[in-house]
Amino acid sequence: MITTLPEQIAALPPTNRARCERLFFVQRVEGQAIIPREMEAWVASSFGDIAGVRRQTIIRVVNRFTLEGTLFNPLRALRPAGKTTSDSDLHAWIESELRDRDFFAQPLQATSADTFGRIRGRFCVTASNIAKYDGWHGLVVFDEPHPLHFNRDRFADYLDVALRWLDAAHRCDPQAIYPMITWNCLPRSGATIAHGHMQMSLARAMHYTRPELWRRAALQYGDIPRYVSDLIAVHADLNLLIADTPAGHVFAHLTPLRNREIVALLSHRADAAPLADRLTDLIYPVLRALIDHHHVRAFNVGIALPPFTDKTGAWSGMPVIARVADRGPALSIHNDWGAMELFATGCVTVDPFEVATALKRAG
């Protein structure tokens, strides 16, 4: 459990413990609350254990180099969240949206195209985003409108088309070299349209903030390949590693931005198998397990790739970074971001050790 993280680290062999302590700051604190007698029945029914509310265990973990940090208190998952909705409610909402305002139903007629045209896959087609957040900003519009109805072949095709779009945009604009693929599934995650779609963007001059932050952290660590190797090794030492395959590595993140955050790291080599296939091998099983076994419906996927050109070698050894996170009940009116997450540090309610254990069982 995350609450025993200090003991888990202390029990590691000295070399492994030193590596973990070099990478992560870990602190356990106790929060205390005095509960009026009039509240005891409600506290017992809501949280199950009055003693556990009176004395709460909070774990703080900070990556000393990226400065991504998370406060863990599983008790917060039991806070009153109002009315919950069922899958039937969600599917009814999706059907209503697709019936009344599916702007992607006829993408060739109802979406704009990029200057280089459209790219067609077996199960999707590209469009140019009508309201761009960067000079190159496109979409992969799924043929299957329901965002949760995808199989391995469809997912691989979505990624293949996204990568082909990035390549086409770079050929049109050689100065645009920093690629990003994102997927916001359902409005809770930031999507404005229910119809399933991914987004791609390509930046000039400097990568987007998160991947650039990770690169600079690796350089500060002393060496990019060593940082990546040690980051994976620490998660393996703590039994958070979910997959260790020729395609890459997958682990439940020790400093997640959101609940159930999974990180996949894979090399970007010219002699490797096609990138879309390797990404699919790593990400698809995780996504389907989260959806099919852990009731995840709204989620975010972010895939940051190294630049198309790297004349100075500044990105040498930097992997492709894929991150997946749960955004909570798809139709909830309660937000999972607040001032603390925006301006201070992450607050997470789901134990990453439970996530890793569950996903390894599902695999």
Side-chain angles (χ1 to χ4, degrees):
M1 294 180 63
I2 190 68
T3 51
T4 64
L5 182 58
E7 286 77 16
Q8 294 180 62
I9 294 171
L12 293 173
T15 301
N16 301 44
R17 184 173 68 249
R19 178 172 56 202
C20 182
E21 290 174 344
R22 183 184 180 201
L23 265 169
F24 292 100
F25 167 82
V26 176
Q27 182 184 55
R28 179 167 52 205
V29 298
E30 183 180 88
Q32 298 185 18
I34 298 173
I35 301 170
R37 185 169 49 203
E38 293 83 357
M39 284 185 66
E40 289 181 354
W42 176 82
V43 169
S45 64
S46 298
F47 296 94
D49 179 15
I50 293 178
V53 175
R54 288 191 174 115
R55 302 174 73 94
Q56 303 177 32
T57 301
I58 297 120
I59 297 291
R60 182 185 180 199
V61 185
V62 181
N63 183 311
R64 297 180 189 270
F65 295 86
T66 66
L67 295 182
E68 290 181 334
T70 309
L71 295 166
F72 296 95
N73 183 358
L75 188 71
R76 288 176 59 82
L78 303 177
R79 292 171 298 162
K83 180 185 176 183
T84 58
T85 54
S86 65
D87 266 357
S88 61
D89 294 328
L90 173 60
H91 294 311
W93 181 87
I94 292 173
E95 288 177 8
S96 173
E97 286 287 297
L98 295 176
R99 182 179 61 250
D100 299 337
R101 53 190 302 271
D102 186 1
F103 302 112
F104 292 164
Q106 296 181 306
L108 299 185
Q109 293 76 37
T111 68
S112 57
D114 289 292
T115 54
F116 55 78
R118 297 183 190 270
I119 297 173
R120 179 73 214 184
R122 290 191 297 156
F123 305 109
C124 58
V125 67
T126 64
S128 183
N129 200 301
I130 199 68
K132 302 179 186 299
Y133 51 61
D134 210 333
W136 291 101
H137 182 191
L139 304 171
V140 170
V141 179
F142 306 166
D143 291 349
E144 166 54 61
H146 195 300
L148 299 175
H149 292 174
F150 63 94
N151 57 22
R152 187 184 188 89
D153 287 345
R154 290 181 181 275
F155 185 74
D157 189 54
Y158 302 158
L159 289 177
D160 177 64
V161 169
L163 291 167
R164 287 162 57 195
W165 183 95
L166 289 166
D167 183 65
H170 171 62
R171 281 187 277 110
C172 284
D173 182 1
Q175 293 184 50
I177 62 172
Y178 297 102
M180 190 81 193
I181 300 171
T182 58
W183 181 6
N184 302 322
C185 184
L186 296 172
R188 170 82 171 183
S189 72
T192 56
I193 295 173
H195 190 128
H197 62 286
M198 287 182 179
Q199 303 187 55
M200 304 80 63
S201 57
L202 198 58
R204 290 183 172 200
M206 181 179 180
H207 215 316
Y208 298 103
T209 304
R210 291 287 182 191
E212 177 64 16
L213 180 67
W214 277 44
R215 184 188 72 88
R216 294 190 187 197
L219 289 174
Q220 183 188 2
Y221 194 75
D223 178 76
I224 290 177
R226 183 184 171 197
Y227 173 80
V228 174
S229 175
D230 283 2
L231 184 67
I232 294 167
V234 167
H235 285 83
D237 288 341
L238 297 172
N239 294 313
L240 293 170
L241 190 64
I242 297 166
D244 179 4
T245 73
H249 302 83
V250 182
F251 51 84
H253 201 192
L254 198 53
T255 53
L257 295 175
R258 289 288 81 213
N259 283 328
R260 298 182 177 86
E261 185 187 319
I262 306 300
V263 173
L265 301 178
L266 59 160
S267 62
H268 195 193
R269 305 190 316 271
D271 61 340
L275 183 56
D277 292 341
R278 292 192 294 138
L279 282 167
T280 300
D281 287 344
L282 293 176
I283 302 173
Y284 176 78
V286 168
L287 269 182
R288 282 288 17 145
L290 290 174
I291 294 167
D292 298 336
H293 303 296
H294 300 279
H295 205 70
V296 171
R297 299 294 179 261
F299 56 81
N300 295 115
V301 178
I303 303 171
L305 294 92
F308 278 103
T309 58
D310 182 23
K311 294 179 181 178
T312 66
W315 287 81
S316 178
M318 199 66 188
V320 177
I321 304 168
R323 304 174 75 167
V324 179
D326 175 18
R327 293 303 303 275
L331 297 182
S332 175
I333 63 170
H334 297 272
N335 205 329
D336 63 339
W337 283 93
M340 194 66 179
E341 289 83 359
L342 283 169
F343 305 127
T345 192
C347 298
V348 164
T349 61
V350 178
D351 189 327
F353 290 96
E354 294 178 359
V355 174
T357 299
L359 287 177
K360 283 188 274 191
R361 284 200 198 108

